[in-house]
Amino acid sequence: MRFWPRLRPRRVLWAVLPFVLPILLTSVWVAYVQLASPPPGILPGPIAVLRVPLTEADYWSSVSASIDRLLMGFILAAVTAIPVGIAVGMSQRVSEVLDPLVTSMSALSGVAWIPLALAWFGPGEKLGLFIIWNAAFFPIFISTVLGARLTPARYRQAVTLLGASRREIATSVVLPAAAPNIVGGLRTGLSFGWRALVTAELIGAAAGIGQLMIVAREFVMTNVVIAGVLTIGVIGISMDRLLFVPIERRTVGRWRPDR
Amino acid sequence: MTRRTRPLVRAAIPFVCLLGIWYSVELLFDPGRTTLASPQAVTVEIGELIREGTLPAAIAESLGRLLPATVIAVVAGGPTGLLIGLSSNANRMVEPTLRFLNAVSGVAWLPILITWVGFGELTIILIVVYTALFPMVFNTSVAITSVPPAYVEAVKTLGAGRLRRLREVYLPGALPGIISGLRSGVAYGWRALIAAEYVVGGGGLGLVVLEARTAGLVERVMAGMIVMAFLWLVIDRLILKAVEEHFTTRWGLSV
């Protein structure tokens, strides 16, 4: 038995490939900073950026403010959108009638409401929550309605024959059948909510990572701005991975073995 | 009621209800002119904005950004998606990085782009391209990978070369997916456009609304929002949906 697994070129290539582009991009960045030495405030090196979480006093409080608000607004959106979506989706008629309204409202959702929300709530916590709720609601709602509508009528008929009430049908037939769609909607909703929140923060309507970036930009602390960009990506992707990959594996993965 | 007008009437029902709710909230609670404007005031305001020319100019400006950005996103994103859909190595190399960049979201780049490029047209267009690019790439690559391999093999046995396989199997097979990528790309780009116009402040519908908010003109804010929603409905239903239907029926595919 050999200790080292035999290196097969294809295997090695496969393992290495995902890192090629990040390494390439970072080297271009380092090379540019080293060779062109841009004036301070244009592009700091990676080290200066990576040190931001340690050196910048407001970094962690901004990050936690953003994440807290995102999770709260997102839960609020899920709790409102899923029941209403199920109710609407169970009726073909109602969902068809509502469709144009939902399309135009969803195009408007999130970011577009920031000015009106400013008039209603003023800058702060409430505005952030409202904007996330508003941005996340529609993707969740639309997918829930779709999932409910795609539930095979036979299932509902079968359970009705057994004497189930509408409520029971909603919770034990339509909801599970729509689950894969709902999970997809939640996923999109979270990423929409995150985007909208960042925008609200960039306008200075709520405290958080976006506000930290826009303030840092005014003080020409470009390393903080770039650290903010990377942080937004890391939070976005880890939220998605931590929350949804396990859920999706358990729902979509189990029920739709073809994907 | 004729068959043509019926869906229109039906589509109008929820809007009329919403209008009714809005009107009665305004009437019953009278939240004051700084919080909620009445439907009449907003209608008058839209008329005013059209008459003074602010609205047509802003719409032209916003659409003048959305259109070139969409074209760039399609031209850059389509082939990229094609490449990573066709080659699993390319997919393995590019996809994780693209996923990360997608998670960063266009608007997050605004502060740094403002530093690099300045408060201007280019910054806004770059953000919209960035945002529209990812749905385009991912949808195209998924559409390509879901073309049944049997079709490809069948044409291969008949002696079709790479180019022919691409042109006659992959592209037509993936077209509905590509078009739906375009549709969501434009939808995301539209949101990013408004966000960028808020933050950068370089004219367009976003700026009209944000300036109205700063001046405390709620009726103007709401007028702007209604125009945004209406404009999107027109873009999505009349243009994008028509394109989607055109291609899916033309190739004999149904979604």
Side-chain angles (χ1 to χ4, degrees):
Chain A
M1 212 175 102
R2 46 167 79 225
F3 180 71
W4 296 103
R6 193 143 43 122
L7 290 177
R8 278 179 234 155
R10 269 202 69 83
R11 269 246 176 105
V12 175
L13 183 73
W14 195 247
V16 167
L17 271 177
F19 302 99
V20 171
L21 213 51
I23 291 172
L24 199 71
L25 289 174
T26 317
S27 345
V28 170
W29 179 6
V30 172
Y32 179 78
V33 171
Q34 292 295 325
L35 298 176
S37 50
I42 295 297
L43 186 66
I47 304 293
V49 171
L50 287 178
R51 280 171 55 93
V52 166
L54 304 174
T55 53
E56 178 61 31
D58 295 332
Y59 178 84
W60 290 107
S61 61
S62 304
V63 168
S64 74
S66 291
I67 295 181
D68 282 357
R69 206 177 299 114
L70 177 66
L71 285 179
M72 264 166 73
F74 175 65
I75 290 170
L76 212 61
V79 168
T80 47
I82 296 173
V84 182
I86 293 279
V88 170
M90 279 174 71
S91 157
Q92 186 90 6
R93 249 241 169 90
V94 174
S95 52
E96 265 168 25
V97 166
L98 279 178
D99 183 54
L101 179 71
V102 172
T103 309
S104 46
M105 289 298 273
S106 86
L108 202 62
S109 69
V111 173
W113 284 83
I114 294 174
L116 196 59
L118 273 170
W120 288 349
F121 307 110
E125 193 70 21
K126 269 192 211 151
L127 179 138
L129 277 180
F130 174 77
I131 293 300
I132 298 165
W133 171 78
N134 194 311
F137 180 87
F138 287 97
I140 305 174
F141 178 77
I142 291 170
S143 328
T144 308
V145 170
L146 184 71
R149 285 185 64 173
L150 291 177
T151 309
R154 265 174 317 180
Y155 296 178
R156 282 164 65 176
Q157 288 154 3
V159 186
T160 316
L161 276 179
L162 295 173
S165 65
R166 268 186 83 79
R167 205 200 154 100
E168 280 169 318
I169 295 177
T171 53
S172 34
V173 179
V174 181
L175 186 66
N181 286 81
I182 296 177
V183 173
L186 287 171
R187 218 171 167 172
T188 318
L190 187 69
S191 94
F192 277 25
W194 183 223
R195 274 150 210 246
L197 175 64
V198 168
T199 311
E201 292 176 359
L202 285 174
I203 298 177
I209 189 83
Q211 199 178 47
L212 180 79
M213 287 162 72
I214 211 80
V215 171
R217 199 200 77 78
E218 274 161 33
F219 289 101
V220 210
M221 291 156 72
T222 313
N223 57 336
V224 178
V225 180
I226 296 179
V229 172
L230 297 178
T231 307
I232 288 169
V234 170
I235 293 176
I237 216 153
S238 37
M239 287 261 190
D240 189 63
R241 285 290 129 97
L242 294 177
L243 291 176
F244 290 113
V245 170
I247 298 180
E248 237 168 30
R249 198 172 295 143
R250 246 168 248 168
T251 55
V252 187
R254 190 195 282 172
W255 297 327
R256 287 197 195 142
D258 53 306
R259 260 273 158 216
Chain B
M1 237 189 294
T2 64
R3 200 185 284 171
R4 272 185 75 81
T5 54
R6 222 186 139 131
L8 277 179
V9 171
R10 221 174 37 184
I13 296 171
F15 289 97
V16 173
C17 292
L18 193 69
L19 202 67
I21 295 172
W22 175 12
Y23 189 71
S24 30
V25 165
E26 228 280 321
L27 213 63
L28 293 175
F29 299 100
D30 189 27
R33 291 201 54 204
T34 49
T35 320
L36 193 73
S38 68
Q40 304 97 298
V42 173
T43 316
V44 171
E45 186 63 32
I46 292 179
E48 182 64 30
L49 280 168
I50 294 174
R51 199 144 17 93
E52 69 182 43
T54 318
L55 198 57
I59 291 176
E61 226 168 342
S62 291
L63 292 183
R65 289 170 180 148
L66 189 64
L67 189 68
T70 307
V71 173
I72 298 172
V74 169
V75 170
T80 312
L82 200 69
L83 187 73
I84 65 178
L86 287 173
S87 148
S88 60
N89 278 338
N91 185 38
R92 177 92 179 156
M93 183 169 133
V94 178
E95 215 226 35
T97 308
L98 287 185
R99 290 266 168 224
F100 177 77
L101 290 177
N102 185 32
V104 171
S105 86
V107 281
W109 290 97
L110 273 171
I112 193 74
L113 267 186
I114 292 171
T115 303
W116 288 341
V117 188
F119 287 91
E121 200 71 9
L122 189 61
T123 302
I124 300 178
I125 291 184
L126 280 175
I127 297 295
V128 180
V129 170
Y130 184 94
T131 311
L133 194 67
F134 296 104
M136 195 62 213
V137 172
F138 293 140
N139 273 285
T140 306
S141 86
V142 168
I144 292 282
T145 42
S146 45
V147 170
Y151 295 179
V152 183
E153 294 304 322
V155 184
K156 220 168 166 180
T157 50
L158 295 175
R162 270 168 185 271
L163 208 64
R164 267 194 89 170
R165 263 179 279 159
L166 187 66
R167 216 181 54 215
E168 288 174 20
V169 182
Y170 281 116
L171 281 181
L175 204 59
I178 297 175
I179 301 289
S180 89
L182 169 71
R183 201 172 161 190
S184 46
V186 179
Y188 293 7
W190 170 253
R191 290 191 175 82
L193 174 71
I194 291 168
E197 285 177 349
Y198 283 165
V199 179
V200 177
L205 269 175
L207 188 71
V208 170
V209 172
L210 200 68
E211 273 183 350
R213 146 72 203 142
T214 318
L217 301 166
V218 174
E219 65 270 20
R220 189 169 276 212
V221 172
M222 295 178 74
M225 289 172 66
I226 289 172
V227 172
M228 283 175 188
F230 180 72
L231 205 60
W232 177 252
L233 205 60
V234 171
I235 296 174
D236 187 62
R237 286 297 145 104
L238 294 186
I239 304 172
L240 297 175
K241 208 170 183 182
V243 171
E244 197 169 358
E245 272 164 13
H246 172 80
F247 279 109
T248 45
T249 50
R250 180 173 155 200
W251 298 100
L253 302 154
S254 52
V255 188

